[in-house]
Amino acid sequence: MASPGNHSSAPVSEFLLFCFPNYQSWQHWLSLPLSLLFLLAMGANATLLVTIWLEESLHQPMYYLLSLIAILDMVLCLTVIPKVLAIFWFDLRAISFSACFLQMFIMNCFLPMESCTFMVMAYDRYVAICHPLRYPSIITDQFVAKASVFIVTRNALLTVPIPILSARLRYCGRNVIENCICANLSVSRLSCDNFTLNRIYQFVAGWTLLGSDFLLIFLSYIFILRAVLRFKAEGAAVKALSTCGSHFALILFFSTILLVVVLTNVARRRVPVDILILLNVLHHLIPPALNPIVYGVRTKEIKQGIQKLLQRGR
């Protein structure tokens, strides 16, 4: 096995993922909570998907969008966590070129897909509160289908250049990635070529996609608050805002962890590399584990659907 200091001049045929280079003992302690969070994320999202699929009362646009979030979360978990656990448990650090760049594409593509879905959900809440009479004619199954195509197409087209640019670089020396995942910059730093274009494109694409989504989410909630403040009926404002509670909580989980990752990467020299690696792994695990639980706890229809599902299994 190659060491982190390996500088062979032979062409690289595979990469080696080297988690927590300064604190190797961490991975043994982390494997148990990561495994439990992974099982929780997969089980909770699978339960949510089956509940929405079987319960006819949940065959509505809002729950279709929630199903899309669950699918994206499950794919992100399956893309990252099993390989991390394989490294922790069996020291299986090797990852092929194709697998590494596929993982890179999914991580860079599905993350903005999720933020874009949150943006569509924010629009759904805006229409429901600000234009309730027009809601059934605007937010339809056809709207969800078109929005899903837009979400997939926009993010796939704009993020596919990231792994392509990284794969086209010449790797002729080091092959040890000091990370648990094939993050674009972690891989590109190993190349013998200049990867400035790669770094600039990821920065511009990332901020364009995520930035535009969060701006539209912010504007949606401004309009929602303006509309709610005009409600005169007692309790109407609280009732209207309660319908946004679960959606807002999901955005909070997603954006908070993402913000922490961004800020720590900006302050890279002040933050130990092991902390950055851990945050990148948790960002692909904590929101998927919490999202279905939040909706399951806060949404009466989903709770009733889960109860019916459990009763069927008896």
Side-chain angles (χ1 to χ4, degrees):
M1 178 179 293
S3 66
N6 184 13
H7 292 272
S8 171
S9 60
V12 175
S13 59
E14 66 179 8
F15 294 114
L16 299 175
L17 294 167
F18 198 71
C19 294
F20 308 118
N22 298 320
Y23 299 95
Q24 284 286 287
S25 60
W26 279 26
Q27 60 189 45
H28 302 296
W29 294 100
L30 282 173
S31 61
L32 179 59
L34 287 182
S35 302
L36 294 176
L37 280 173
F38 175 67
L39 293 175
L40 174 62
M42 298 303 296
N45 281 288
T47 301
L48 183 63
L49 286 172
V50 172
T51 301
I52 293 174
W53 179 42
L54 294 179
E55 186 59 41
E56 291 187 6
S57 64
L58 299 178
H59 293 178
Q60 300 176 26
M62 185 62 180
Y63 299 111
Y64 293 148
L65 292 172
L66 185 58
S67 298
L68 181 56
I69 290 287
I71 292 171
L72 294 174
D73 282 341
M74 291 179 74
V75 173
L76 280 170
C77 272
L78 288 170
T79 301
V80 174
I81 305 304
K83 181 60 180 178
V84 173
L85 294 178
I87 295 172
F88 287 180
W89 292 340
F90 309 112
D91 202 35
L92 298 177
R93 303 178 186 275
I95 184 169
S96 67
F97 260 45
S98 57
C100 186
F101 293 119
L102 176 60
Q103 185 189 71
M104 185 187 299
F105 169 71
I106 292 175
M107 291 188 298
N108 281 282
C109 181
F110 279 52
L111 192 64
M113 275 190 194
E114 195 160 342
S115 73
C116 193
T117 307
F118 286 138
M119 181 266 291
V120 175
M121 294 172 75
Y123 177 71
D124 171 274
R125 293 298 85 199
Y126 160 75
V127 176
I129 293 174
C130 299
H131 304 284
L133 298 179
R134 298 175 56 195
Y135 181 84
S137 62
I138 296 176
I139 308 299
T140 62
D141 291 351
Q142 291 76 14
F143 169 81
V144 173
K146 292 177 181 178
S148 300
V149 171
F150 169 75
I151 290 168
V152 173
T153 304
R154 184 200 75 159
N155 296 291
L157 290 178
L158 291 179
T159 56
V160 72
I162 294 174
I164 290 177
L165 288 171
S166 186
R168 287 173 61 87
L169 295 173
R170 186 167 49 95
Y171 297 93
C172 56
R174 297 173 297 165
N175 72 331
V176 177
I177 303 171
E178 293 189 355
N179 206 330
C180 295
I181 57 180
C182 286
N184 176 38
L185 296 183
S186 297
V187 176
S188 299
R189 288 191 182 96
L190 301 179
S191 72
C192 308
D193 300 329
N194 188 307
F195 61 95
T196 302
L197 177 61
N198 192 335
R199 181 167 51 190
I200 292 175
Y201 185 87
Q202 179 174 6
F203 178 83
V204 173
W207 281 108
T208 299
L209 294 172
L210 297 176
S212 61
D213 290 340
F214 281 108
L215 176 61
L216 292 172
I217 292 171
F218 180 72
L219 291 175
S220 296
Y221 273 98
I222 287 179
F223 288 126
I224 289 172
L225 286 174
R226 285 180 59 187
V228 165
L229 292 175
R230 294 174 184 169
F231 292 168
K232 295 181 180 180
E234 185 177 354
V238 175
K239 184 178 179 180
L241 288 176
S242 67
T243 65
C244 302
S246 300
H247 177 246
F248 187 77
L250 263 61
I251 295 173
L252 190 62
F253 290 145
F254 181 84
S255 59
T256 300
I257 297 180
L258 182 63
L259 182 62
V260 170
V261 172
V262 170
L263 291 178
T264 50
N265 274 278
V266 170
R268 177 177 291 273
R269 295 180 180 179
R270 300 180 183 179
V271 179
V273 65
D274 301 277
I275 299 297
L276 296 177
I277 294 171
L278 178 61
L279 289 173
N280 272 286
V281 172
L282 292 178
H283 179 59
H284 294 86
L285 189 57
I286 291 180
L290 295 180
N291 289 348
I293 295 175
V294 169
Y295 257 93
V297 170
R298 293 186 56 88
T299 307
K300 179 181 178 181
E301 293 78 6
I302 292 180
K303 283 195 291 186
Q304 292 175 343
I306 292 175
Q307 290 172 357
K308 290 181 181 180
L309 180 65
L310 293 176
Q311 289 173 357
R312 290 179 184 179
R314 292 178 181 177

